[in-house]
Amino acid sequence: MVDFRRMIPVLAVIAFLLGSAVTASAQQTLSCVTNGAVNTPMRAEGLTEQTGDFLITCTGGTAIAYGAPVPTVNIQVFLNTAVTSRLMSSSSTLPQLSEALLLLDEPAPGAQYGCPNSNLTGGTCPAFGNGAGAPIYGASGLLLASNNRNVFQGIQTASNSITWLGIPIDPPGTSGTRIIRLTNLRGNANQLGVSGTNVTPVSVFATVTATPFNFLPVSGLATQSVGSVQRGLQFGVFSSTSSTSAFSPGSLQQCVSRGASDGSVAVLRYSELFATSFKRRNIATTSALPLASAEQNSLAGFLAGTYNTETGFTTGALAGGTTLPSMGSGFQAIGQADFGTRLKAVFNNVPNGVNLFVDRTATANGGADRADLTASETGGFVGVAATSGSPASGASTQLTVTNGSATAVWEVLDSQATSFAVLNFRVWATFTASPGTNSPALGVATVNGSYAPTSTVTTASPGPIPRFADTSSATNVFTIVPCVTTLLFPYVTSAFGFDTGLAISNTSLDSGVFNTSPQSGSCTLNWYGASFTGVTPTAVVNAGTTFTTLASTTLSNVTGGFTGYMIAQCRFQYAHGFAFVSDLGARNLAMGYLALIIPDYGLGTAAGARPASSLDKSPLGAGEQLGY
Amino acid sequence: MQFRNKLPLVLLLITLTMAGLANAQTVTVIAGDGLLVRPTQASTTLTVLVRNAQGQPVPGAAVNWALSGQGALASTQSTTDSTGQASNQYTAQILFGGNFATSVVTASALGVSANMNIITSGADQSNIDNTFVSVQLIAPALGDLTSGAAGSTSTTAVRAQIFAVGPTGFQGVPNVLIRLVSDTTGTTISCSGNTGYSDFNGNVNCLPVFGGQPSSARYTVEVGGGYRIFGPFNFTVTAGQVAAFRITGGNNQSGNPGAILPVSLQARVEDAAGGGLANIPVVWEPVVPGTATITNASNVSDANGNVSANVTLGTAVGAIQVRLRTQTGTVQTLFTFQVNLTVTGFTKVAGDPQEAITNTAFAQPLVVQVTTAQGPTAGLQVQFTAPAGVTLASNGVATTNAQGQASMTVTAGNNPGPVTVTAAIGGLAVSFNLSIRLPGPQINLNSFFNGAGGQPGGVSPAAILAIYGNGIATGLQGCVTGNQIVGPLSILVSNVSVLFTGAGGFQGYAPIYAVCNLGPAQQYVVVQVPAELPIGVTSVTMRVGTGQTVVDNVPVTLVSPGVFETTVYSDLQKRAVLLKEDGSYVSLENPARRGETVRAFVTGLGRPRSKNGFLIGTNQGGILGDDASPQPSIVVGVNNGGVTPTSVVYAQDLIGVYIVTFVVPADSATGPNVNFVVAASLNENLIFSNPSRFPVQ
């Protein structure tokens, strides 16, 4: 039997010797560590959120001899969600060239040389050693090494992975470090969900592998957190730009016209939940020059956080006339975004006959943050002019309502990363009252607020960038309510040999006197008595006509007759009632009275409760209030 | 066999059984099970519901909490509120060095308990916000639309994997609960059964169950109570299969024919889960066509699944039904109504008035005619009511026949007297005036005797008649006379009356001389037969108190002579009553003498007629100055020889009595018992009186 106890000192000696050997050879061995990964806030609503860059820093090793080929490495990065960097092809079938880039040694603008080849399109860009491991890159020159490239385009090889094939890694030796930066990585933040409280962000992790490993021996944590997902937008509906209290949708009376001079019915408020959740498209984008664009190729700009745009690292100014396999163009070029952050309001169930207007522009933080209405959700920014005669003296624009739905999209043109933006957009609803033709129609309009454009494309695609999941929910924004006159007949009887004659006149026809708009509608007679409690309708009472009945006739089926009171709800204004109580044949006793008008607060709304006092004279747009 | 060894097992089984019976209460986890928490998360609320054996929430129950595993509870005991719920707070403990930890919280109350699994994620020691447990939502994808009928379960699962990648490598996280949370009130989506829990590998295959109102809505996938929230995703609940119509109003009303029922028929179209189904086409129809008219009916259910209709009743009376069904009729329900009867008329047809002897059925049933707006209606129930003691057939309920008539048999009770029986229907009523009497006297054709001579028969106009029978004078001792010494006779004496009914509608009460009860078989009444009684037969109705007896076909003869006799003779023998001219009565001591004129008293010689031709009526004496005589010839027999009376005159002061005056023949035999008879000559036939006698000297 082996005496293991005696072996322990031997093993310890061997381990010591092995450790000493590693330490002794550190000067010649290439060593790479992951560090400096930037953990970037990512919007939980976003499908194409920029992650932080992933950095690998290598030191040591033996620099490749002058003129010798630099060994190449395949570098692959994985996210724990879908990679949604722009595919630089109209096809989404993988593998495809991506806008994701690998940069060597932090090249400054003017020193960025693109590798035009990739294994996807035929070959890689060979590199040659300079003997010192120094960061020498270029597009031409007598020295072989002066033609080495430092900007490589990635290939999306899986839904959550980008691969760079044949990247030459020259060990820096004693010259310093070799820095590998993976940039233009976008991920589907929405796919990771969000914590219920939104307090603790959900991390986006990137994991890097290298093949062959000995050419890029990454130690330390190959997985780094490159993003923190949290909700970016808070949408709400308020009664005014300054209000913070809960919103109660306004009840707009069908019979009362609303024009441009009437106030807004609601304010749509889009608030940043972190300071960089509203971003303009490009550093050149401003409200004055919404389509202006500039290169964002300074790493210092990223590191300093001065970009904070929807656009990433651009390659429109590669040095030496170099290119990449698929550069794209315009706003669809590598790194570019199609537009800035967009905010969308979708109105639904807009009653027929209602005209909707919204603010064209909203600003915050003294104008440092601004969003303007644009013509479409997914097209390039096109400013929308004010509609003639629109509310707020040209500040608003009418929306096109189709089948009860209308959409407004604003794009962030100015943004400031050092403050929280709160953008308020007013909403107006105007209409010409025509209750006789049921216009506007009765109903409750709703609004959904979200980022835009919304999309269900959750994996990499040619665009657009940015895009978002629709996380909105509907909020009531206003209600068209019927015009009602409520009449109280305090005593009605058809019992004990008595009967009550009831008359309701629709006095909305007064042409030549007040020229009130005629209205028509039926009345609902609500009976409350010991022998009967129920509802009977009347026929339509046209303007200028009178509905009459006897209690005994309407309630002919009530055994023993009816005694109680009745509340008539007429679907028109200016109803007036009269009752005449008498014994049958009016031989002995008879008396008449005018029905009382119960103040109209708008039926069916929270504010529609019957006022406790008839002296309360603040109904919502009611007609006359004569019942006091 | 060693039964002793089995005893503990039996006791254990009994104990467990009893424990089972006693522990019918339940503790149900409302919130807390399947939680996935991060170490830094604030405390989480755990809630349980305690119900009693009847399934009702138990307020005020003590709930004991116990924790197995890491973390801490805010308290070890709490008390259920008014809804039977009790809560506690769980706070996770920071977990380094492990992927995750599972704690089990046990809530116990009323002897039962429930467990909650709470999973705490491990965290990176260098960054506590980096938790090891991750969630990957596999399905649905953004933009996917999940849809299904209300009450149905989708076969497309919401799939997720809860896993941890930490110090112990990759691990699935079991027992984490995911919930599907709808953003629209009334439109629901949830995981079926226990499909919302992750399995050992951390996989969840939640099968969505749709419910509530058909609508398009959104839902989020909430993992572990909010550890992760995914979505929103779209879902649509379509109208489910109709499982039932639930009546919510308007059933079991009643009304008059043609009336609109005051309350609308209301029902809710529901799926198997009890959710209302919108836009379901429905059909309303009377079960029997024509029995009701449906108006304002909902053709489809509204947003809440409600349908309604108004009903106008038809003319059919009684119970009618309206059916609410789906278009295919596979699901239906019935509303039942009562159509009130409209009685337009209610009259008596037969049976009023009438009389019956105590404890016997009235001879005629009481018959009523019900007239309704619908015409003669069979099957209507007429309610008869009567005073206590009077028996009505079928508990007083009679049903109309095809002619609308209802008949009721009534049986008299013990108590004599008037009785009112009332029949009622539809608010109308009629009364029958009935009378209950005691049983009448026991008389028959053999009860009639000449009032003077006592021979059977004796019923002839103006004759004095004796009617014998038990029950005529029950309780009476002796006689009660009917006159006032002078004046006419009464027709009601001692509650006895005698009515003669003859041909040609004749009816006449007999004047009564006396009502007597002289002992057994000696109850009788002495009356004058009405003078106007037609010859032939008569019905004699004798009423004694409330009882009466009718004897029909009593022969009525023109004459029925009878000689009044007396026993006042000294030898107490019965002989004719004879009056001498000096006013003295013939007696043994004062016998009639040959050649002497005497007067005999006779009845039954027929209706007297005066010389002037006036017919003497009932209860009348003879006419002064216009003597009335019998219409047939009268012959007197003395000592078996005929004697022509000197006069036969209807007595002026005696009702029903003739005075026959004759001369005792000179050659008459003498002695105390000379035969004497009076005969009437009819068609040359002599109708003899009772044979009598008198003393002659």
Side-chain angles (χ1 to χ4, degrees):
Chain A
M1 191 172 178
V2 178
D3 188 346
F4 286 100
R5 267 181 288 184
R6 292 182 180 176
M7 293 181 67
I8 291 175
V10 177
L11 293 173
V13 170
I14 294 173
F16 175 76
L17 292 175
L18 288 174
S20 300
V22 170
T23 304
S25 60
Q27 294 302 316
Q28 289 78 35
T29 301
L30 176 64
S31 176
C32 302
V33 296
T34 58
N35 60 10
V38 180
N39 192 316
T40 301
M42 299 169 71
R43 295 165 294 199
E45 301 88 343
L47 302 175
T48 56
E49 293 300 288
Q50 298 176 69
T51 70
D53 290 350
F54 195 103
L55 294 177
I56 305 171
T57 302
C58 299
T59 57
T62 303
I64 300 300
Y66 176 82
V70 175
T72 59
V73 179
N74 295 338
I75 299 173
Q76 188 168 12
V77 65
F78 299 86
L79 296 185
N80 61 341
T81 185
V83 174
T84 52
S85 300
R86 189 192 301 273
L87 294 181
M88 305 309 296
S89 164
S90 59
S91 172
S92 297
T93 302
L94 301 181
Q96 289 291 338
L97 285 165
S98 168
E99 67 172 342
L101 301 175
L102 184 150
L103 309 180
L104 293 178
D105 296 328
E106 304 294 75
Q112 297 164 0
Y113 301 94
C115 171
N117 305 321
S118 74
N119 277 356
L120 185 65
T121 57
T124 58
C125 293
F128 299 92
N130 56 41
I136 299 174
Y137 303 98
S140 63
L142 296 177
L143 296 177
L144 288 175
S146 63
N147 208 31
N148 293 350
R149 305 299 169 88
N150 56 2
V151 179
F152 300 86
Q153 190 168 6
I155 302 167
Q156 179 135 15
T157 49
S159 63
N160 66 333
S161 178
I162 298 287
T163 302
W164 288 267
L165 297 174
I167 303 301
I169 301 297
D170 186 0
T174 57
S175 66
T177 59
R178 177 112 303 113
I179 299 175
I180 304 167
R181 175 181 288 269
L182 309 181
T183 191
N184 278 355
L185 288 172
R186 295 178 184 271
N188 180 352
N190 181 258
Q191 185 178 338
L192 295 173
V194 63
S195 67
T197 59
N198 196 40
V199 172
T200 305
V202 177
S203 295
V204 176
F205 296 105
T207 302
V208 170
T209 63
T211 306
F213 179 73
N214 57 319
F215 291 166
L216 190 67
V218 179
S219 62
L221 287 175
T223 297
Q224 293 284 337
S225 177
V226 294
S228 297
V229 178
Q230 54 192 300
R231 291 190 182 93
L233 171 65
Q234 179 172 303
F235 172 78
V237 183
F238 296 87
S239 59
S240 69
T241 56
S242 60
S243 172
T244 57
S245 56
F247 177 69
S248 293
S251 295
L252 311 182
Q253 289 204 309
Q254 185 187 44
C255 60
V256 180
S257 295
R258 293 182 62 86
S261 60
D262 291 304
S264 59
V265 294
V267 170
L268 311 183
R269 181 170 300 162
Y270 298 80
S271 303
E272 281 186 313
L273 289 179
F274 56 89
T276 56
S277 65
F278 292 175
K279 294 184 280 193
R280 55 182 172 164
R281 190 188 70 79
N282 183 277
I283 54 174
T285 304
T286 65
S287 54
L289 298 170
L291 297 177
S293 190
E295 293 301 321
Q296 294 186 175
N297 54 2
S298 168
L299 294 175
F302 289 106
L303 297 176
T306 56
Y307 285 165
N308 284 314
T309 60
E310 294 289 357
T311 293
F313 186 89
T314 63
T315 57
L318 292 177
T322 59
T323 61
L324 293 169
S326 182
M327 299 278 287
S329 62
F331 292 175
Q332 286 77 46
I334 287 175
Q336 293 283 2
D338 292 79
F339 20 70
T341 307
R342 287 183 169 180
L343 308 172
K344 182 169 71 168
V346 178
F347 297 88
N348 288 310
N349 304 321
V350 178
N352 284 339
V354 172
N355 304 311
L356 273 185
F357 297 84
V358 295
D359 263 328
R360 297 169 53 232
T361 299
T363 60
N365 302 316
D369 292 286
R370 170 174 168 151
D372 283 22
L373 193 66
T374 182
S376 69
E377 182 175 1
T378 56
F381 179 84
V382 176
V384 180
T387 305
S388 176
S390 63
S393 302
S396 65
T397 294
Q398 184 174 358
L399 302 179
T400 301
V401 179
T402 304
N403 295 327
S405 295
T407 301
V409 178
W410 297 271
E411 181 173 330
V412 174
L413 299 179
D414 294 316
S415 60
Q416 177 173 274
T418 56
S419 61
F420 289 91
V422 176
L423 300 174
N424 292 301
F425 300 95
R426 293 170 293 177
V427 179
W428 291 267
T430 70
F431 54 82
T432 301
S434 179
T437 59
N438 194 35
S439 181
L442 305 179
V444 182
T446 64
V447 65
N448 290 55
S450 68
Y451 281 123
T454 55
S455 173
T456 58
V457 179
T458 57
T459 55
S461 75
I465 289 176
R467 60 182 184 272
F468 300 88
D470 183 2
T471 59
S472 66
S473 59
T475 302
N476 294 342
V477 65
F478 65 85
T479 304
I480 303 296
V481 298
C483 291
V484 174
T485 307
T486 305
L487 302 175
L488 170 62
F489 293 83
Y491 183 75
V492 178
T493 182
S494 62
F496 310 116
F498 284 82
D499 204 351
T500 305
L502 300 166
I504 298 174
S505 293
N506 181 342
T507 70
S508 64
L509 178 64
D510 55 18
S511 53
V513 183
F514 298 105
N515 294 319
T516 300
S517 176
Q519 305 171 24
S520 64
S522 61
C523 299
T524 300
L525 310 183
N526 300 272
W527 306 87
Y528 303 92
S531 58
F532 175 72
T533 294
V535 174
T536 62
T538 72
V540 171
V541 185
N542 291 317
T545 66
T546 300
F547 162 80
T548 61
T549 189
L550 291 172
S552 61
T553 301
T554 301
L555 302 179
S556 60
N557 292 317
V558 177
T559 303
F562 171 87
T563 298
Y565 62 94
M566 185 266 285
I567 296 175
Q569 291 175 311
C570 296
R571 287 285 299 272
F572 50 86
Q573 290 179 306
Y574 313 113
H576 292 276
F578 178 72
F580 189 78
V581 184
S582 73
D583 58 337
L584 296 180
R587 295 188 181 92
N588 301 312
L589 295 170
M591 62 82 67
Y593 65 85
L594 290 173
L596 300 171
I597 300 174
I598 298 176
D600 171 22
Y601 277 77
L603 298 174
T605 67
R610 182 175 173 180
S613 169
S614 61
L615 298 177
D616 191 340
K617 296 183 179 180
S618 56
L620 294 176
E624 306 153 300
Q625 301 295 329
L626 304 180
Y628 309 115
Chain B
M1 293 180 68
Q2 295 186 13
F3 288 101
R4 252 181 296 183
N5 289 346
K6 291 193 172 184
L7 185 58
L9 174 61
V10 173
L11 291 175
L12 174 61
L13 289 173
I14 294 173
T15 304
L16 291 175
T17 304
M18 296 302 290
L21 292 174
N23 292 342
Q25 301 89 349
T26 59
V27 175
T28 306
V29 177
I30 301 299
D33 191 29
L35 289 179
L36 175 58
V37 297
R38 57 181 56 82
T40 56
Q41 187 167 321
S43 61
T44 302
T45 300
L46 314 178
T47 304
V48 294
L49 169 63
V50 180
R51 288 192 179 96
N52 60 19
Q54 290 71 44
Q56 299 163 330
V58 180
V63 177
N64 295 309
W65 302 81
L67 172 63
S68 173
Q70 67 103 52
L73 293 172
S75 63
T76 57
Q77 189 178 79
S78 58
T79 304
T80 56
D81 61 14
S82 60
T83 65
Q85 294 190 6
S87 296
N88 203 344
Q89 298 292 321
Y90 171 83
T91 303
Q93 180 180 337
I94 294 175
L95 176 65
F96 293 139
N99 282 3
F100 65 92
T102 300
S103 301
V104 178
V105 174
T106 301
S108 304
L110 306 178
V112 290
S113 62
N115 290 337
M116 286 159 265
N117 291 307
I118 302 174
I119 295 90
T120 303
S121 174
D124 184 349
Q125 200 159 0
S126 63
N127 181 0
I128 199 168
D129 285 338
N130 280 346
T131 51
F132 296 145
V133 174
S134 296
V135 181
Q136 181 181 12
L137 185 69
I138 302 169
L142 203 62
D144 283 358
L145 173 64
T146 304
S147 63
S152 69
T153 301
S154 174
T155 57
T156 304
V158 172
R159 295 189 296 127
Q161 186 177 30
I162 299 100
F163 59 95
V165 180
T168 56
F170 179 92
Q171 272 184 289
V173 181
N175 301 319
V176 176
L177 177 65
I178 72 170
R179 289 198 316 130
L180 311 183
V181 182
S182 171
D183 70 347
T184 302
T185 302
T187 301
T188 64
I189 184 170
S190 59
C191 293
S192 170
N194 288 325
T195 62
Y197 288 93
S198 60
D199 61 13
F200 178 79
N201 295 314
N203 292 315
V204 183
N205 282 281
C206 157
L207 296 175
V209 177
F210 305 97
Q213 303 304 318
S215 176
S216 291
R218 293 180 150 205
Y219 71 97
T220 52
V221 180
E222 180 190 275
V223 180
Y227 184 83
R228 288 285 187 278
I229 296 175
F230 297 91
F233 304 99
N234 299 317
F235 77 105
T236 298
V237 176
T238 58
Q241 293 293 318
V242 179
F245 290 105
R246 183 165 61 85
I247 295 176
T248 56
N251 197 18
N252 296 321
Q253 299 183 77
S254 62
N256 294 328
I260 300 174
L261 290 178
V263 180
S264 298
L265 315 192
Q266 297 154 30
R268 187 165 185 258
V269 188
E270 295 183 342
D271 58 27
L277 296 176
N279 302 316
I280 300 298
V282 297
V283 176
W284 299 84
E285 60 191 5
V287 173
V288 178
T291 55
T293 303
I294 312 295
T295 58
N296 298 325
S298 305
N299 293 324
V300 297
S301 56
D302 67 10
N304 297 314
N306 294 321
V307 293
S308 64
N310 291 332
V311 168
T312 302
L313 299 176
T315 57
V317 175
I320 67 166
Q321 290 182 310
V322 169
R323 178 187 292 114
L324 170 62
R325 63 173 173 85
T326 55
Q327 284 187 318
T328 59
T330 53
V331 179
Q332 60 177 268
T333 191
L334 294 174
F335 292 79
T336 302
F337 314 106
Q338 194 69 32
V339 182
N340 298 332
L341 179 71
T342 306
V343 178
T344 57
F346 189 48
T347 56
K348 293 179 285 189
V349 174
D352 184 47
Q354 61 177 316
E355 185 179 68
I357 298 170
T358 53
N359 297 316
T360 63
F362 284 84
Q364 284 185 296
L366 311 188
V367 182
V368 292
Q369 175 72 53
V370 181
T371 306
T372 71
Q374 295 76 40
T377 304
L380 305 182
Q381 291 187 331
V382 178
Q383 180 66 57
F384 287 80
T385 54
V390 176
T391 304
L392 299 174
S394 303
N395 292 322
V397 177
T399 305
T400 57
N401 58 19
Q403 289 71 44
Q405 293 187 347
S407 177
M408 174 57 63
T409 300
V410 183
T411 301
N414 285 324
N415 300 321
V419 170
T420 299
V421 175
T422 302
I425 186 172
L428 301 178
V430 294
S431 295
F432 290 79
N433 296 310
L434 306 182
S435 179
I436 300 174
R437 63 177 172 80
L438 295 170
Q442 298 175 10
I443 61 174
N444 53 39
L445 289 172
N446 298 317
S447 299
F448 300 92
F449 297 90
N450 190 292
Q455 70 272 34
V459 181
S460 59
I464 294 174
L465 178 69
I467 306 172
Y468 280 77
N470 289 333
I472 293 177
T474 302
L476 182 65
Q477 290 184 342
C479 292
V480 177
T481 58
N483 64 4
Q484 305 294 324
I485 300 179
V486 294
L489 299 172
S490 297
I491 60 172
L492 178 65
V493 175
S494 189
N495 286 326
V496 177
S497 67
V498 180
L499 175 68
F500 286 80
T501 303
F506 173 81
Q507 281 192 326
Y509 280 96
I512 297 174
Y513 270 99
V515 176
C516 299
N517 184 348
L518 303 180
Q522 289 297 308
Q523 295 181 45
Y524 61 91
V525 58
V526 180
V527 303
Q528 182 199 23
V529 176
E532 301 83 0
L533 181 66
I535 304 304
V537 293
T538 186
S539 293
V540 177
T541 302
M542 179 181 290
R543 180 180 290 272
V544 179
T546 58
Q548 75 172 29
T549 302
V550 178
V551 180
D552 296 323
N553 298 315
V554 179
V556 180
T557 58
L558 185 61
V559 295
S560 54
V563 176
F564 284 94
E565 295 180 308
T566 181
T567 59
V568 298
Y569 288 89
S570 58
D571 62 356
L572 302 179
Q573 294 296 307
K574 186 163 68 174
R575 296 179 180 85
V577 178
L578 294 175
L579 186 64
K580 291 186 176 182
E581 288 182 310
D582 62 0
S584 64
Y585 286 98
V586 172
S587 66
L588 291 178
E589 290 77 23
N590 185 23
R593 302 180 191 283
R594 293 176 178 174
E596 187 178 23
T597 299
V598 295
R599 287 175 285 178
F601 299 91
V602 181
T603 189
L605 299 181
R607 186 177 185 184
R609 178 189 296 269
S610 72
K611 290 177 181 176
N612 292 327
F614 293 106
L615 289 171
I616 303 302
T618 303
N619 213 7
Q620 288 184 356
I623 302 171
L624 187 60
D626 185 14
D627 289 341
S629 299
Q631 297 178 50
S633 297
I634 302 301
V635 177
V636 173
V638 176
N639 192 30
N640 303 323
V643 177
T644 300
T646 54
S647 68
V648 180
V649 176
Y650 189 66
Q652 296 174 0
D653 52 358
L654 294 173
I655 293 170
V657 178
Y658 285 91
I659 298 174
V660 177
T661 304
F662 67 96
V663 176
V664 179
D667 58 352
S668 170
T670 60
N673 295 307
V674 175
N675 290 334
F676 175 69
V677 72
V678 175
S681 177
L682 290 176
N683 301 323
E684 299 181 351
N685 293 320
L686 294 176
I687 308 300
F688 292 95
S689 70
N690 55 309
S692 186
R693 55 190 176 168
F694 68 98
V696 177
Q697 185 177 39

